[in-house]
Amino acid sequence: MATLLKFYKPLFPSLISPLPVRFHNCKTLIAAARNRPRIRCLSTMGNSKGKVNIKESNGDAVDGDGTETQLQKQQLWLHNTMSKQRELFIPKVPGKVGMYVCGVTAYDLSHIGHARVYVSFDVLYRYLNYLGYEVNYVRNFTDVDDKIIARANELREDPIKLSKRFCEEFHLDMAYLHCLPPSVEPRVSDHMANIIDMIQQILDNGCAYTINGDVYFSVDKFPEYGKLSGRRLEDNRAGERVAVDTRKKNPADFALWKVIDLYHPLALRLFLIGTHYRSPINYTVAQIESASDRLFYIYQALYDSQIVLSQRDEASRKDSIPAGTASCINKFQDEFLVSMSDDLHTPVALAAMSDPLKLINDLLHTRKGKKQGLRIESLAALEKTIRSGLEILGLVPTSYEEALHELREKSLKRAKLTEDQVRQKITERDTARQNKEYERSDAIRKELAAVGIALMDSPEGTTWRPAIPLALQEEQVVAP
């Protein structure tokens, strides 16, 4: 599926490194997709001042001005499919990486299998860029193929026009999943002469033969065939990137990730990278609900942090943070980079965010946290640090506020409720509590929780947030 052509060992730059932005036609893509239930693609990719690289000092506070300190060497280890070993990235040309990923055959809309493939390689592309590699990322389109011709005949449509339409749909899908565009995106239709010449050379070498005008590669002429996959010829069958769900009528059936009508695209991305790219993944409603819930939690913490920070002039902040905050940040950075450099272990990288997110919430909402010295400085450093990790994983939305609104809207759609209906339920519950009708109050809370709407009481009143529906929470508890 993909080949890394040139490897090398880089130096470790700042934690937010500007990634190349090649959404040249981003506005066009978004305008074309306004009626589709998806989000906008990224417009910026961070800035070079994002890192808070902190060294502990003998005092109670440490330097936290966000400036870059000394560079550290960072080794990247990846699984080599041929050797079946985890191997160190070694350069053929220092400072440069060539990455080729097979693109789609454009005869239909994309599905969740495509989403997993291209999100996985997007994470690799982003991390290679972050580590300082100059990456030439090539992803092709097969826009001339028997399947395309057959589908075009079914629809009585010109094959080239049909494939062009599905190529455009694929671009929209990738933009909504926050997959960066490749450096080069060749199409078969633009290289027919080259392909014909190459096939003729294979025929001339005796490694292919013709039957009724079709050319077939002779695998018997290539003794190494099957070595990469590790499978015998008689065992070969369609690839299985998604684990079998026993509820399916046929193991080959797949879930269409259009399952975006009801869930935020970045919740799907979080779900996909929540499993290591080489492990089987099984799409279930419970898992996508869990990913959506986690995404809301992350964005809410960072949005609340931004609100507090916006109330204080940045120039008034001190150039130091408490040692406890520094320790939390350093621990996160170490765990994040170690896991990402160990064959892109994204689940571990995501888990590493738990402690700094908890610290943010403590500083925002607990009595002790609100009284902590250098609280604003801590929030600023933590927000930048987590954002940098999200940047590498492709999980930074256009704005936290907008993403939270979209997540709420999706949850209402899944619950088959409107905002007004939820507010009416909250009012009914408030009345019941005032009348000491606590059973009625609890029943309303449980009724909403059953469809994924959680009520949160505070001195300022009752608000709601998306949550995993009760039945799915119970399903997760009893799952082995």
Side-chain angles (χ1 to χ4, degrees):
M1 178 59 71
T3 305
L4 289 173
L5 302 179
K6 301 169 185 176
F7 315 143
Y8 64 97
K9 182 168 61 179
L11 293 176
F12 175 40
S14 64
L15 196 55
I16 292 186
S17 178
L19 298 182
V21 182
R22 299 191 183 88
F23 281 133
H24 298 312
N25 60 343
C26 181
K27 292 183 180 179
T28 304
L29 284 175
I30 298 309
R34 287 200 182 277
N35 294 325
R36 305 176 83 195
R38 298 175 178 178
I39 63 164
R40 294 203 296 271
C41 61
L42 292 173
S43 58
T44 60
M45 295 302 301
N47 58 76
S48 59
K49 295 182 179 179
K51 177 167 183 181
V52 181
N53 192 343
I54 302 153
K55 295 181 178 179
E56 298 214 11
S57 67
N58 294 326
D60 293 330
V62 295
D63 176 31
D65 61 0
T67 57
E68 182 179 344
T69 59
Q70 71 178 52
L71 300 177
Q72 304 171 11
K73 290 185 178 180
Q74 185 71 21
Q75 294 183 331
L76 175 61
W77 295 76
L78 290 175
H79 179 80
N80 186 327
T81 309
M82 184 70 79
S83 69
K84 309 297 186 290
Q85 301 277 337
R86 189 178 65 102
E87 298 179 4
L88 179 65
F89 243 5
I90 300 175
K92 287 187 176 179
V93 177
K96 297 186 178 181
V97 174
M99 188 170 86
Y100 178 83
V101 177
C102 293
V104 296
T105 300
Y107 71 97
D108 205 342
L109 296 172
S110 300
H111 55 72
I112 195 170
H114 295 120
R116 189 183 195 197
V117 169
Y118 299 113
V119 165
S120 295
F121 285 114
D122 181 66
V123 171
L124 174 60
Y125 181 38
R126 286 170 176 271
Y127 196 55
L128 290 170
N129 272 300
Y130 158 71
L131 289 176
Y133 300 169
E134 180 184 333
V135 186
N136 185 31
Y137 175 15
V138 181
R139 185 182 69 205
N140 72 297
F141 269 125
T142 300
D143 61 344
V144 176
D145 180 86
D146 289 342
K147 292 179 180 178
I148 295 172
I149 295 171
R151 178 59 56 85
N153 289 336
E154 281 179 35
L155 301 177
R156 297 183 179 180
E157 188 174 350
D158 176 72
I160 297 297
K161 288 183 179 179
L162 178 136
S163 61
K164 181 180 179 181
R165 174 160 55 87
F166 285 123
C167 287
E168 291 170 352
E169 288 288 333
F170 177 80
H171 279 146
L172 290 170
D173 295 337
M174 293 300 102
Y176 276 99
L177 282 173
H178 281 201
C179 291
L180 296 173
S183 312
V184 184
E185 200 165 44
R187 302 190 182 206
V188 166
S189 59
D190 294 331
H191 297 273
M192 293 300 294
N194 309 79
I195 294 170
I196 291 171
D197 288 344
M198 183 179 293
I199 291 174
Q200 187 59 55
Q201 291 179 41
I202 296 173
L203 282 167
D204 294 343
N205 290 335
C207 293
Y209 56 92
T210 60
I211 298 179
N212 297 327
D214 291 328
V215 181
Y216 294 86
F217 181 78
S218 178
V219 295
D220 293 334
K221 299 287 186 178
F222 183 51
E224 299 293 301
Y225 189 85
K227 186 175 180 181
L228 187 63
S229 66
R231 309 181 79 163
R232 298 175 299 176
L233 280 176
E234 57 268 29
D235 294 334
N236 280 344
R237 57 182 178 176
E240 297 174 353
R241 296 191 188 95
V242 180
V244 173
D245 186 335
T246 56
R247 297 171 301 173
K248 296 192 295 187
K249 295 179 180 179
N250 188 304
D253 294 344
F254 53 80
L256 293 174
W257 62 278
K258 278 282 191 177
V259 290
I260 293 181
D261 289 341
L262 296 177
Y263 295 95
H264 198 289
L266 290 184
L268 176 58
R269 184 178 178 108
L270 180 63
F271 158 72
L272 292 171
I273 65 177
T275 299
H276 188 249
Y277 76 92
R278 288 194 293 110
S279 299
I281 187 171
N282 189 24
Y283 178 90
T284 66
V285 174
Q287 290 196 44
I288 192 67
E289 282 280 359
S290 180
S292 183
D293 186 65
R294 183 64 177 172
L295 195 69
F296 189 92
Y297 169 78
I298 294 171
Y299 291 167
Q300 187 69 66
L302 298 178
Y303 174 66
D304 290 346
S305 181
Q306 283 189 342
I307 293 296
V308 172
L309 292 173
S310 68
Q311 297 169 356
R312 287 282 298 271
D313 183 12
E314 186 173 351
S316 67
R317 298 177 197 166
K318 298 181 180 179
D319 294 335
S320 59
I321 59 176
T325 301
S327 177
C328 181
I329 288 175
N330 286 333
K331 181 174 179 287
F332 164 72
Q333 290 181 348
D334 289 344
E335 291 178 354
F336 187 93
L337 293 178
V338 166
S339 59
M340 289 297 291
S341 294
D342 181 17
D343 199 26
L344 301 177
H345 270 279
T346 49
V348 181
L350 286 167
M353 294 184 182
S354 295
D355 286 345
L357 283 168
K358 182 180 182 303
L359 181 52
I360 282 180
N361 279 310
D362 286 345
L363 291 168
L364 288 171
H365 305 298
T366 69
R367 183 178 300 178
K368 181 180 178 182
K370 290 179 180 179
K371 293 182 177 180
Q372 180 176 298
L374 300 174
R375 172 175 174 258
I376 296 299
E377 289 76 8
S378 287
L379 285 172
L382 288 162
E383 191 275 333
K384 284 184 179 180
T385 301
I386 295 174
R387 183 182 178 89
S388 68
L390 294 176
E391 194 80 63
I392 292 171
L393 297 174
L395 290 171
V396 176
T398 306
S399 78
Y400 297 135
E401 183 178 20
E402 182 178 339
L404 289 168
H405 173 74
E406 290 166 346
L407 285 162
R408 289 165 67 94
E409 289 294 310
K410 298 289 187 184
S411 69
L412 288 173
K413 190 171 184 180
R414 296 194 298 274
K416 298 180 180 178
L417 293 170
T418 65
E419 178 81 27
D420 287 342
Q421 287 173 326
V422 173
R423 293 190 181 281
Q424 182 179 347
K425 289 290 184 182
I426 291 175
T427 300
E428 290 177 14
R429 179 172 172 268
D430 288 342
T431 301
R433 294 171 72 191
Q434 290 170 6
N435 295 334
K436 297 185 179 180
E437 298 173 353
Y438 298 119
E439 288 188 8
R440 173 59 180 157
S441 171
D442 291 342
I444 293 173
R445 175 189 283 275
K446 191 169 183 179
E447 176 188 345
L448 290 173
V451 293
I453 304 295
L455 299 184
M456 300 173 292
D457 298 320
S458 72
E460 291 76 31
T462 301
T463 57
W464 72 272
R465 59 151 289 172
I468 303 173
L470 283 181
L472 293 178
Q473 291 183 38
E474 295 167 359
E475 178 182 315
Q476 291 177 333
V477 170
V478 299

